[in-house]
Amino acid sequence: MNLTDYNNTYSNLVTFLPNKTIPIHRWYPLVEGYSSELVKSIIEEQEIRPQVCFDPFGGIGTTALTCYDMGIECISIEASPFFFDVANVKTNYTNLSSASFQTLTRRIELELHNSKSGIKHPKLESRTFFEDSGSQKTKWIFHQSVSNGIFDIVRSIDRVCRDEFLPYKKIFIISLATILQEVSNVFKNGKCLSYKKNWKTKKYKRKEVHNFFLKHVKEVILEDINSMQPQPKDFYRPNNVIFGDSREKVREIREGIDIVITSPPYLNSRDYTDIYRLELWMLGYISTYEKERNIRKSALTSHVQIQLPKVDYPPIEELVNAVNFLESDKAELWNPNIPNMVRGYFNDIQNLLSDLRPKLNPNAKLYINVSNSAYSNYIIEVDVIIAKAAELIGYECEEIRIARPIKTSSQQAKKMSIDKMRESVIVLKKI
Ligand SMILES: C[S@@+](CC[C@H](N)C(=O)[O-])C[C@H]1O[C@@H](n2cnc3c(N)ncnc32)[C@H](O)[C@@H]1O
């Protein structure tokens, strides 16, 4: 495998950080996202400008929005209903009127100003969200004043964004999403949610919650909408964000794709449904465990929160060794599902690449941002394994661009990790 050092150019670009100051991209930050600049630099290095791009793991739409702004058609697929909404809203920003948004903001502000003391909370099957003074619970995610503030906002959005203003509703909901962690008693610790140290004493007032929300609406969203250039009459940039599981939906997309730029979930047992619980449960996407389970199941095999079948996997030496080790007595695993997750991860990715191949134009290029992982101190070279799995089914790996080293929490893995614990971009070509 041709491993090339891209640390100087890519180390920052494979993170979401640069997007935090770019209009529209900054509407909702996603730790697991990459930067618009990464997408742009990949498109600009192509000898022939691509016409159609595809991202099977669209997230909050970084690839789609960057393509949109470059006048390139992009098809993307996203399995989380919340991320799907964020991507959709952002890639439709040119349809928004700044005057309408301003009027709606003023009306919502007025509604919030007149908020009454009692506010109904939705019925959620999960009991962890609300402080309930009558129960024996010792922990809750939102203090009463905060959940009141949140549902004041939800109600105001519902009342104001009706009829012709319905398309604006989701933007306000996404603004609310950006403040949920700040006003809650928990934080995203990388794998799930943990309670903040001072959560019992730190209580935001209802009005403070309103103000956080209005600040984001005015200082981020409204500012970006106001600064938009008027579009010419014939402005048309096709964009297609599809909701669902790309392992299935990929078979339905159209042919003629020139380039794929994507970042699948990493093989790091992160369950997005867990990490984004606040957004999913509080904003009406999930109210029952069954619904949560269904969203979990639609994710690429990359976490151990559901029972996983023992599937076959691509016959790559590095993968065979890894699976043999993980299934042996030598491996000390924190979850017995890990070997099946590793099998399933590479099986899913190889199947996806196989289903995608007929949709690609000859010589189409694929850029896949991934990270290596370690379990029981055994480092799994995800980039090399994916590249080799792709080579078995009609792709050539041109290079693996090493973007940056990544940290490992285990001491022993640290010793072994020289060069191997890395985040990278795999460059494939259809042959
Ligand atoms: C690393 S993130 C991609 C972030 C994206 N590059 C961005 O900057 O917004 C991976 C995304 O894949 C999504 N995902 C996981 N499994 C999926 C599946 N089977 N089909 C479609 N999307 C999936 C996750 O919900 C998550 O949004």
Side-chain angles (χ1 to χ4, degrees):
M1 281 294 145
N2 178 19
L3 291 150
T4 48
D5 183 0
Y6 266 66
N7 190 58
N8 279 344
T9 32
Y10 275 8
S11 63
N12 204 29
L13 300 198
V14 290
T15 75
F16 192 78
L17 224 60
N19 287 1
K20 289 192 171 176
T21 50
I22 308 180
I24 326 290
H25 284 282
R26 65 184 181 146
W27 284 4
Y28 179 87
L30 180 73
V31 181
E32 295 82 1
Y34 50 41
S35 68
S36 171
E37 269 181 76
L38 176 74
V39 178
K40 207 166 161 205
S41 77
I42 290 171
I43 289 173
E44 279 172 352
E45 76 178 49
Q46 306 305 313
E47 274 169 30
I48 302 170
R49 199 176 169 80
Q51 309 264 308
V52 186
C53 178
F54 176 56
D55 182 351
F57 302 100
I60 57 166
T62 307
T63 310
L65 180 57
T66 308
C67 287
Y68 186 83
D69 284 338
M70 295 176 87
I72 293 170
E73 179 179 347
C74 183
I75 302 163
S76 60
I77 307 177
E78 173 51 48
S80 156
F82 169 62
F83 295 153
F84 166 77
D85 273 352
V86 180
N88 237 322
V89 161
K90 282 164 45 188
T91 50
N92 279 307
Y93 75 91
T94 47
N95 297 330
L96 304 171
S97 133
S98 119
S100 301
F101 192 75
Q102 225 156 333
T103 309
L104 294 170
T105 304
R106 266 200 303 273
R107 286 192 200 157
I108 289 177
E109 195 165 7
L110 197 68
E111 285 274 340
L112 288 174
H113 185 72
N114 297 328
S115 290
K116 302 258 162 37
S117 49
I119 178 95
K120 251 192 161 169
H121 292 23
K123 281 211 165 71
L124 304 182
E125 201 175 334
S126 167
R127 298 256 159 234
T128 52
F129 286 94
F130 307 132
E131 176 179 8
D132 178 0
S133 39
S135 85
Q136 304 291 312
K137 252 185 349 198
T138 54
K139 283 188 171 177
W140 50 87
I141 295 178
F142 293 101
H143 291 306
Q144 180 96 49
S145 54
V146 171
S147 50
N148 284 345
I150 292 170
F151 292 113
D152 288 338
I153 297 170
V154 172
R155 188 181 57 177
S156 307
I157 297 171
D158 275 345
R159 287 162 81 114
V160 168
C161 298
R162 286 170 181 227
D163 308 323
E164 81 265 32
F165 295 127
L166 210 56
Y168 291 81
K169 189 168 166 175
K170 293 263 164 81
I171 315 180
F172 288 107
I173 292 290
I174 286 159
S175 302
L176 176 55
T178 61
I179 69 155
L180 287 180
Q181 176 171 282
E182 168 72 33
V183 298
S184 79
N185 300 334
V186 294
F187 66 97
K188 297 181 172 87
N189 73 9
K191 282 230 185 310
C192 56
L193 299 175
S194 296
Y195 275 82
K196 294 173 186 169
K197 264 195 188 135
N198 58 348
W199 73 269
K200 271 196 177 150
T201 47
K202 176 87 187 146
K203 283 188 189 180
Y204 285 112
K205 298 193 184 83
R206 200 163 171 168
K207 281 279 163 230
E208 286 177 301
V209 177
H210 300 171
N211 291 340
F212 277 132
F213 163 76
L214 289 169
K215 188 170 158 42
H216 185 80
V217 168
K218 290 180 190 170
E219 293 180 10
V220 177
I221 311 240
L222 190 55
E223 198 182 295
D224 289 354
I225 296 179
N226 277 341
S227 64
M228 268 166 17
Q229 301 298 321
Q231 301 301 337
K233 272 214 173 75
D234 59 353
F235 180 89
Y236 172 67
R237 288 173 190 176
N239 177 53
N240 190 358
V241 186
I242 300 165
F243 173 62
D245 181 343
S246 54
R247 294 170 298 183
E248 289 159 15
K249 297 275 173 192
V250 69
R251 297 184 209 121
E252 294 165 24
I253 63 167
R254 79 161 172 86
E255 294 174 5
I257 291 162
D258 299 311
I259 192 164
V260 176
I261 305 173
T262 195
S263 175
Y266 294 168
L267 182 59
N268 58 7
S269 355
R270 270 191 202 186
D271 174 9
Y272 284 79
T273 325
D274 245 4
I275 303 174
Y276 291 89
R277 280 194 98 210
L278 302 184
E279 293 79 355
L280 289 165
W281 285 79
M282 292 295 282
L283 302 179
Y285 295 97
I286 295 181
S287 58
T288 62
Y289 286 121
E290 192 189 350
K291 178 88 189 177
E292 185 180 59
R293 246 189 324 273
N294 289 339
I295 297 179
R296 262 193 190 129
K297 280 193 204 151
S298 68
L300 185 90
T301 308
S302 54
H303 64 76
V304 288
Q305 296 282 67
I306 48 170
Q307 275 299 322
L308 296 167
K310 187 170 179 168
V311 295
D312 287 340
Y313 54 88
I316 314 289
E317 193 187 343
E318 288 83 347
L319 181 54
V320 173
N321 292 341
V323 172
N324 283 345
F325 170 77
L326 295 174
E327 290 180 348
S328 75
D329 295 341
K330 284 183 237 148
E332 288 172 24
L333 302 174
W334 51 267
N335 186 297
N337 257 334
I338 290 171
N340 283 358
M341 173 185 74
V342 173
R343 285 167 169 265
Y345 185 79
F346 293 104
N347 183 47
D348 275 0
I349 291 202
Q350 196 189 41
N351 285 342
L352 181 85
L353 289 173
S354 171
D355 289 337
L356 172 61
R357 199 172 169 281
K359 312 286 180 176
L360 302 173
N361 280 335
N363 296 326
K365 294 276 223 65
L366 295 82
Y367 296 78
I368 307 173
N369 171 212
V370 291
S371 160
N372 292 351
S373 309
Y375 290 98
S376 187
N377 298 322
Y378 193 102
I379 294 174
I380 304 175
E381 283 187 275
V382 172
D383 48 12
V384 170
I385 297 171
I386 292 180
K388 290 190 174 179
E391 289 195 325
L392 293 178
I393 52 166
Y395 295 92
E396 174 188 281
C397 176
E398 290 194 340
E399 59 179 327
I400 294 175
R401 299 176 176 176
I402 301 175
R404 56 173 184 165
I406 49 166
K407 285 186 232 139
T408 164
S409 47
S410 131
Q411 286 306 320
Q412 198 186 334
K414 256 182 211 152
K415 275 192 222 139
M416 302 156 41
S417 73
I418 312 165
D419 296 331
K420 288 206 168 169
M421 284 304 279
R422 58 179 177 256
E423 196 169 346
S424 46
V425 176
I426 310 162
V427 185
L428 303 173
K429 190 165 112 181
K430 177 182 174 180
I431 49 171

